[in-house]
Amino acid sequence: MAADQETPVSAVGGAAPVVPAAPVEQPGTLTLSRVFGNPDLAGAQLRAVRLSPDGRMVTMLRARADEKERFDLWAMDTGTGVERMLVDSHAIGSGSELSEAEKMQRERSRIGGSRGIVAYDWSPDGKSILVPLDGDLYLAGLNGQTTRLTQAAGGELNPVISPRGTSVSFVRDQNLYVQPLRAGATAKAITSGGKGTVHWGEAEFVAQEEMDRRTGYWWSPDERYIAVERFDEAPVKVAVRAAIGATGTSVYEQRYPAAGTPNVLVELHIMKPDGSGAVKVNLGTEPDIYLARVDWVPDGTALLVQRQSRDQRRLDMLRVDPATGRATLLFSERAGAKSWLNLSDAYRVLGDGSIVWRSERSGYGHLYRFAAGRWTQLTRGDWVVSDLIGVDEKGGRIFFTANKDDVLEQHVYRVDIAKPNAITRLTERGFTNGATMDGAASRLIVSRSGPAQPAQSYLADADGMRLAWLNENAVVAGHPYFPYLASHQETKFGTLKAADGSVLHWEMITPPLEPGKRYPVFFQHYGGPGSQTVTRGWQGPLPQLLVDQGWIFFQIDNRGSPNRGKAFEDHIFHAMGSVEVADQLAGAEYLKTLSFVDPARIATYGWSYGGYMSVKMLEKTPGVYAAAVAGAPVTEWKLYDTHYTERYMGDPRLDPAGYAASNALGEAAKIRDPLLLIHGMADDNVFLDNSTALVAELQKSATPFEMMFYPGQTHRVGGAGVSEHLWGTILRFLDRTVKDRPEPAPPAEDPAASDAK
């Protein structure tokens, strides 16, 4: 292993480089090449927008106009509004191949197709920024100079600057390293034994994929300690996965915890930053648990650990003594009957030791305060708090996002701790909003979009007053989408009733309707838990392209989807593939009542859980849909991972009948409508085995279907050329089987009937 070294390298500072303007496009119809081309039709897209520790700058990752999946680091002076590029990923990047571990982490974070700078970390003093790039670490100053911190094979995972700015830490070769943040310093491994199936400082597969936990170590605020996860994959079943590429096949023996099989063995240790004085945290006598969340209290005197039961029906908050590892139970959350507990990051430990906590105990996600063993509910009603974005401890104010005013819109709200349920909305109606705040909760960074407005962001004060645009992204002359604005069709929203009376929300975009004409429908669905698809947000240009081509675009959120309360979600408990299919059918039946819809030409499309739904919808409701596209479908839930699948379906060893009813293989022979099956041949999330198992069942019963498999592509099938090919394949299939298929000939007249006349 080469020694780490600091090597000054050049970077871009000062004014932004001049990017050649894109050719002015004439008004016209969208094409696939333009939808997936450069620059992005959604305009400038920002990621990871943050205020500097001193509040003088806002930093962000910005996509390049000529390469929309490559990101550079930019900064804006909050006083003057002047923007400049801080780090040019092309100028300092080595172009080195990422380690397999980092590639997989990016897949888990759904940024597998992104290049350049995908993350960064401010130093606490606000004088420099840690920038991971191409498998190594750089320290960027605000003067445009960048210093290389590491240069070693294998790369670095989960890098951060320590809370007081003395060190940088990262995971390399399955061990945790700490490196002083000074010239000439070298990194030291503070854990040992990380090899084979043992990992230190990383998050295990299901933590990354399903629990939204990306790291496996946590610094105490005073830098006295680091809490470090150790996990051992030895008990986990080895799944042999073939990543089939264009020029060859790589075979991976991936430790994959399928439903009903063992998980990793998890431990939590607390040690000093040099690795000494390590103690093991007492996580209880039951080893088969999930390490859900880990946080230090603000003064560093205790560690808070969220321990989730294997069946995800109990969540315990533990308070841990860092000197001994001894844990005491603060409180527990328990699921209701035929339900589960959703993990959340909407909580905050306050300086006085109390905790602001999101709970669904009322049936809806709301905020509570836990202090001195007592609970105070801060928000209430038949609506859902989605995120906690800031706490102004001095002013006693809490800032959060929720759908209080409209189930289709997310807004930023404020509530006073001393006045529960006295709530003020801080964002404008008609948009779907997200937000972050600085540590003192003095300013907001709001990102929003609307049906006709791509994502934009602005800086606001704590009352929601906009101080400055960070990215106005107005669709005016010069914006990439402006040439197509004249043909942009309005998104319409409505509701209908499910069989049990539940209200289901739908959205629809139609071409300009001609009297007496009936149109085909592109019926998109996801259907699974955790994703709300019908919102007053930007849907991207693809639905508009479909409408330009003569399709009606339609989607509906079924029971089981989020942000409608726990009872609405719980319909799928041990019953996936049931009410979702029924509610999508209700959407199709509604469409068939509309005079401008051709009831014989409704095509349906979905990816991942939506791909599973496509197959189930053809099996359960033959003849309803003219054709279906199933992308990367789960076809056998026993093949999918523990944390996701068991949350909704339980343990297959205890409920084999439920799993049998929910899979998409047993009734494959019932499919009678045209089906296009698509899958990436290197998918490490929904293994290709899911599709090949379905293919085998279809062939066994001589059921016709079509398929397109993509060599080298993962669960995300896309990228330069590939995205255009994917959607060209989908649309050619649907044009042939649905949109452009000949009208059935009228029945021949019976000669006898003619004589009778």
Side-chain angles (χ1 to χ4, degrees):
M1 181 185 295
D4 291 345
Q5 55 184 297
E6 282 190 295
T7 308
V9 295
S10 62
V12 173
V18 176
V19 177
V24 176
E25 300 194 42
Q26 298 302 312
T29 304
L30 286 163
T31 63
L32 286 175
S33 61
R34 185 61 198 92
V35 165
F36 296 109
N38 294 304
D40 195 324
L41 284 177
Q45 297 297 292
L46 307 182
R47 291 185 184 174
V49 184
R50 297 175 194 156
L51 278 160
S52 62
D54 61 10
R56 295 181 181 178
M57 298 177 68
V58 174
T59 47
M60 64 208 79
L61 300 178
R62 175 173 287 166
R64 301 176 78 95
D66 59 343
E67 199 176 351
K68 67 181 182 182
E69 292 191 347
R70 173 175 285 274
F71 291 80
D72 303 307
L73 181 61
W74 286 71
M76 186 193 84
D77 187 304
T78 58
T80 65
V82 174
E83 294 184 353
R84 61 191 174 107
M85 185 187 286
L86 279 182
V87 183
D88 182 333
S89 64
H90 270 311
I92 70 168
S94 65
S96 299
E97 182 80 5
L98 298 175
S99 69
E100 193 66 23
E102 185 167 356
K103 289 179 183 177
M104 293 303 98
Q105 276 201 357
R106 291 191 179 194
E107 285 294 323
R108 304 286 77 76
S109 299
R110 303 298 186 261
I111 55 171
S114 298
R115 298 184 297 277
I117 302 169
V118 299
Y120 65 93
D121 188 35
W122 271 99
S123 65
D125 62 9
K127 294 180 180 179
S128 57
I129 302 172
L130 180 67
V131 179
L133 180 61
D134 295 344
D136 277 303
L137 304 180
Y138 300 81
L139 194 66
L142 306 186
N143 60 358
Q145 295 299 309
T146 302
T147 301
R148 188 170 188 163
L149 296 178
T150 64
Q151 190 170 1
E156 292 81 28
L157 299 175
N158 309 333
V160 297
I161 296 177
S162 61
R164 292 189 173 180
T166 64
S167 305
V168 59
S169 53
F170 51 84
V171 174
R172 178 190 291 156
D173 297 328
Q174 300 176 203
N175 283 293
L176 181 61
Y177 283 72
V178 174
Q179 177 174 324
L181 203 59
R182 64 173 185 268
T186 58
K188 174 190 174 184
I190 69 167
T191 64
S192 61
K195 61 182 178 180
T197 60
V198 176
H199 298 248
W200 286 91
E202 295 179 52
E204 66 273 29
F205 174 87
V206 294
Q208 294 181 46
E209 178 64 36
E210 309 298 359
M211 297 161 61
D212 200 26
R213 177 167 65 78
R214 310 295 180 189
T215 188
Y217 73 93
W218 302 265
W219 284 87
S220 66
D222 55 11
E223 292 193 6
R224 291 179 60 203
Y225 301 106
I226 308 178
V228 188
E229 174 186 0
R230 176 191 185 274
F231 70 83
D232 186 353
E233 294 180 297
V236 179
K237 178 183 175 183
V238 175
V240 178
R241 175 174 63 86
I244 303 171
T247 58
T249 297
S250 298
V251 178
Y252 294 96
E253 291 190 346
Q254 180 177 341
R255 299 276 178 172
Y256 189 90
T261 68
N263 277 314
V264 301
L265 295 173
V266 174
E267 298 174 356
L268 186 63
H269 298 253
I270 300 175
M271 61 193 68
K272 294 179 181 178
D274 62 0
S276 66
V279 298
K280 184 178 176 181
V281 173
N282 182 1
L283 293 177
T285 58
E286 173 54 66
D288 196 9
I289 53 96
Y290 294 108
L291 183 67
R293 299 286 186 270
V294 178
D295 299 274
W296 288 91
V297 300
D299 63 5
T301 59
L303 187 70
L304 297 184
V305 177
Q306 295 179 42
R307 176 183 65 194
Q308 187 181 42
S309 62
R310 171 73 182 253
D311 66 6
Q312 299 177 63
R313 293 178 50 77
R314 177 177 175 135
L315 183 70
D316 298 321
M317 176 67 87
L318 307 177
R319 182 182 176 93
V320 178
D321 179 350
T324 66
R326 180 175 177 270
T328 56
L329 179 66
L330 280 183
F331 59 84
S332 296
E333 290 275 356
R334 291 179 173 84
K338 297 185 177 180
S339 186
W340 64 87
L341 292 171
N342 291 309
L343 294 177
S344 172
D345 289 317
Y347 63 93
R348 188 72 53 86
V349 185
L350 305 186
D352 62 4
S354 65
I355 302 173
V356 177
W357 177 258
R358 181 188 184 272
S359 173
E360 294 178 312
R361 62 188 64 178
S362 72
Y364 292 85
H366 280 294
L367 296 179
Y368 298 75
R369 186 186 184 204
F370 180 77
R374 300 183 62 183
W375 291 96
T376 302
Q377 187 168 358
L378 301 175
T379 65
R380 66 176 68 243
D382 294 349
W383 48 275
V384 174
V385 172
S386 54
D387 198 11
L388 175 64
I389 58 176
V391 179
D392 173 7
E393 295 196 48
K394 290 182 179 179
R397 303 187 299 180
I398 297 172
F399 299 81
F400 61 94
T401 51
N403 59 3
K404 181 178 183 295
D405 287 276
D406 189 331
V407 71
L408 304 186
E409 298 178 5
Q410 288 285 324
H411 287 284
V412 179
Y413 297 90
R414 185 180 65 213
V415 64
D416 289 354
I417 294 176
K419 299 177 181 177
N421 219 43
I423 296 169
T424 304
R425 178 168 48 83
L426 305 180
T427 46
E428 182 182 351
R429 288 293 308 271
F431 295 90
T432 290
N433 296 266
T436 59
M437 299 192 82
D438 61 334
S442 67
R443 282 182 290 182
L444 287 155
I445 294 174
V446 178
S447 58
R448 71 178 191 182
S449 72
Q453 174 58 59
Q456 51 185 186
S457 57
Y458 61 89
L459 182 67
D461 64 18
D463 293 321
M465 179 67 68
R466 187 168 65 240
L467 303 174
W469 282 109
L470 303 176
N471 178 29
E472 186 173 6
N473 202 25
V475 186
V476 296
H479 190 283
Y481 192 65
F482 182 74
Y484 308 99
L485 195 58
S487 64
H488 184 95
Q489 298 300 311
E490 177 188 3
T491 303
K492 298 173 183 176
F493 299 91
T495 62
L496 55 86
K497 294 287 184 70
D500 70 343
S502 297
V503 175
L504 308 177
H505 290 264
W506 57 258
E507 67 178 44
M508 181 190 299
I509 310 173
T510 71
L513 299 177
E514 299 177 19
K517 184 174 180 179
R518 289 178 176 261
Y519 297 81
V521 179
F522 185 96
F523 189 154
Q524 178 171 288
H525 57 266
Y526 178 72
S531 180
Q532 179 184 359
T533 60
V534 179
T535 69
R536 297 189 206 280
W538 175 249
Q539 293 279 2
L542 194 55
Q544 296 291 331
L545 176 144
L546 294 167
V547 170
D548 281 352
Q549 294 191 3
W551 292 92
I552 292 171
F553 177 81
F554 181 85
Q555 57 183 355
I556 186 170
D557 280 330
N558 49 249
R559 286 170 290 173
S561 58
N563 297 327
R564 298 287 306 281
K566 205 68 186 67
F568 193 82
E569 282 187 278
D570 288 345
H571 282 282
I572 63 167
F573 186 74
H574 288 219
M576 291 200 295
S578 59
V579 295
E580 314 100 290
V581 175
D583 291 354
Q584 296 295 324
L585 175 60
E589 289 175 338
Y590 165 71
L591 285 169
K592 293 183 179 189
T593 69
L594 303 177
S595 61
F596 52 86
V597 168
D598 185 340
R601 291 192 295 161
I602 298 177
T604 192
Y605 158 85
W607 197 272
S608 194
Y609 199 104
Y612 161 71
M613 285 286 291
S614 287
V615 179
K616 292 293 282 188
M617 288 158 70
L618 291 194
E619 292 173 350
K620 295 290 187 182
T621 54
V624 171
Y625 307 99
V629 178
V634 177
T635 62
E636 169 57 86
W637 285 110
K638 287 189 291 186
L639 295 176
Y640 204 59
D641 71 58
T642 51
H643 196 270
Y644 182 93
T645 313
E646 293 174 11
R647 185 187 318 155
Y648 310 114
M649 291 296 298
D651 189 325
R653 295 167 296 185
L654 303 178
D655 185 13
Y659 272 78
S662 291
N663 78 34
L665 300 177
E667 297 183 313
K670 293 183 178 180
I671 293 176
R672 291 292 177 267
D673 306 302
L675 169 66
L676 172 62
L677 180 63
I678 302 173
H679 217 122
M681 301 181 82
D683 194 333
D684 73 320
N685 181 6
V686 179
F687 287 3
L688 182 61
D689 295 12
N690 283 273
S691 281
T692 56
L694 178 62
V695 165
E697 291 298 320
L698 294 169
Q699 292 171 341
K700 196 184 303 180
S701 59
T703 302
F705 68 99
E706 299 179 31
M707 69 181 184
M708 177 63 71
F709 288 172
Y710 284 87
Q713 293 291 307
T714 59
H715 197 55
R716 170 194 180 269
V717 174
V722 176
S723 296
E724 187 177 345
H725 184 277
L726 169 67
W727 279 95
T729 300
I730 291 169
L731 292 181
R732 284 189 295 273
F733 169 76
L734 293 181
D735 284 351
R736 172 167 42 84
T737 60
V738 182
K739 191 176 76 168
D740 298 334
R741 72 179 184 183
E743 292 289 333
E749 188 173 350
D750 185 344
S754 298
D755 293 342
K757 293 177 185 176

